[in-house]
């Protein structure tokens, strides 16, 4: 009520636009080829993450708490890619730059929920690694299926709550001047800056969300690897230390792929060119879902062995059918 009275006193007309315009890149010729490239990455991401989900689902050997986290990571990557890339391709390859107000908020909700969960999934996997290395003899007692399920459920609820609040704060803004979003999708920052009335609550909540979604996960992961390094230093032989550390290389790769481009954007977002911001954000959003299954398949022995077992069983089943088939 106070907000409405303030708006009336200051003679502000509340304007909710019928649509927004996604601007995309500025002044780059033949930029459509870049979105074709994103489409190609999307196809690889869908195939790779679907394969990981199928392997974990079919193989009863992959039922440890760690692979609950890996399954959720693959599911989140699949959701993230599917929420973003098809719509972006539709906007820029088929020239559908106009997007309705409600569709834009929905688009933002699904994109940011999955992006937030990518960071939170890395926290879950980091927790699993630190417990496995620091407490190898008590790992199965300390890290249970129920605990991992509880962590994942909490993070999903946190991600959904954060983006619902962000979207709710956007609905109080009046867009009376421009409806052009300087990004390649319905990006929260460029959208709330278009508001004509007070955007301070939006700014404060955006900063708080960055701390919760980027600051906390990164701090937890760094702290986890400090603990892992301390535990590895107690191992007597160098060979055993290397063997234990190799179990973390896949996770470290995922952390670097996700956080480095995002940190660059938020650290220099106000000084870099909008085109550079779009490239960094788009790569940070679509590249991890493609690389994550490749990294886990190549660096996780259990998944490689599971793939061999499944392929071997498939080949044997076909040979058995061929053998029994009458000539």
């Amino acid at each position: 009520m106070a907000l409405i009275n303030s708006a009336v006193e200051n003679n502000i007309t509340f304007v909710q636009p019928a649509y927004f315009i996604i601007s995309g890149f500025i002044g780059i010729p033949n930029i459509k080829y870049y979105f074709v490239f994103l489409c190609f990455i999307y196809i690889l991401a869908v195939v790779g993450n679907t394969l990981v989900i199928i392997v974990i689902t079919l193989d009863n050997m992959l039922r440890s708490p760690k692979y609950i986290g890996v399954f959720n990571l693959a599911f989140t990557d699949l959701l993230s890619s599917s929420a973003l890339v098809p719509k972006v391709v539709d906007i820029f390859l088929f020239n559908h730059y106009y997007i309705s107000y409600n569709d834009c908020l929905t688009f933002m909700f699904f994109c940011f929920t999955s992006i937030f969960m990518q960071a939170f999934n890395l926290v879950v996997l980091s927790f699993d690694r630190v417990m496995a290395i620091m407490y190898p003899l008590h790992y199965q007692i300390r890290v249970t299926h129920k605990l991992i399920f509880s962590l994942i459920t909490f993070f999903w609820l946190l991600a959904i709550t954060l983006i619902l609040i962000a979207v709710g704060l956007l609905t109080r803004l009046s867009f009376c001047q421009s409806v052009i979003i300087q990004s390649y999708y319905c990006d929260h920052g460029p959208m709330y800056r278009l508001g004509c009335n007070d955007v301070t609550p939006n700014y404060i909540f955006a900063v708080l969300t960055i701390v919760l979604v980027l600051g906390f996960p990164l701090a937890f992961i760094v702290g986890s690897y400090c603990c892992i390094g301390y535990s590895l230093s107690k191992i007597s032989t160098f060979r055993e230390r290397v063997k234990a550390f190799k179990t973390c290389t896949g996770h470290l790769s995922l952390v670097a792929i996700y956080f480095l481009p995002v940190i660059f954007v938020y650290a220099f977002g106000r000084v870099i060119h909008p085109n550079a911001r779009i490239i960094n954000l788009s790569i940070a959003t679509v590249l991890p879902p493609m690389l994550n299954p490749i990294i886990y398949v190549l660096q996780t022995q259990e998944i490689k062995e599971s793939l061999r077992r499944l392929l071997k069983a498939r080949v044997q089943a076909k040979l058995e059918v061929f053998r029994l088939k009458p000539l």
Side-chain angles (χ1 to χ4, degrees), residues 21-26 35 92 97 181-184 274-275 278:
I21 301 173
I22 311 295
S23 67
F25 291 97
I26 302 171
F35 294 103
F92 295 103
Y97 300 104
I181 301 174
Q182 300 289 340
S183 186
Y184 71 108
N275 289 345
I278 291 174

Side-chain angles (χ1 to χ4, degrees), residues 111-228:
C111 288
F112 275 94
T113 299
S114 53
I115 291 171
F116 290 174
M117 275 307 301
Q118 285 179 324
F120 292 145
N121 281 328
L122 295 176
V123 172
V124 175
L125 294 174
S126 177
F127 171 77
D128 174 83
R129 287 300 82 207
V130 73
M131 296 300 290
I133 291 176
M134 291 189 67
Y135 307 101
L137 299 179
H138 302 92
Y139 170 76
Q140 293 183 345
I141 298 175
R142 291 173 180 265
V143 183
T144 62
H145 292 80
K146 182 179 179 180
L147 176 60
I148 297 298
F149 272 123
S150 299
L151 283 174
I152 291 173
T153 302
F154 169 76
F155 282 131
W156 271 107
L157 292 174
L158 177 60
I160 291 171
T161 301
L162 288 174
I163 191 58
L164 281 177
I165 295 173
V167 170
L169 289 174
L170 280 175
T171 60
R172 56 170 285 278
L173 296 181
S174 176
F175 300 91
C176 58
Q177 295 179 356
S178 175
V179 293
I180 300 176
I181 301 174
Q182 300 289 340
S183 186
Y184 71 108
Y185 73 114
C186 293
D187 197 349
H188 178 259
M191 276 188 69
Y192 84 73
R193 294 189 189 100
L194 297 176
C196 298
N197 48 338
D198 184 17
V199 299
T200 303
N202 303 77
Y203 171 77
I204 293 173
F205 189 77
V207 172
L208 175 63
T209 301
I210 290 173
V211 171
L212 290 175
V213 176
L214 293 180
F216 162 71
L218 192 57
F220 182 87
I221 291 168
V222 170
S224 297
Y225 277 97
C226 289
C227 295
I228 288 173

Side-chain angles (χ1 to χ4, degrees), residues 13 66 106 109-110 126 135 143 238 311-312:
T13 302
K66 171 185 175 181
T106 304
F109 171 81
F110 284 104
S126 177
Y135 307 101
V143 183
F238 176 77
L311 290 173
K312 184 178 179 180

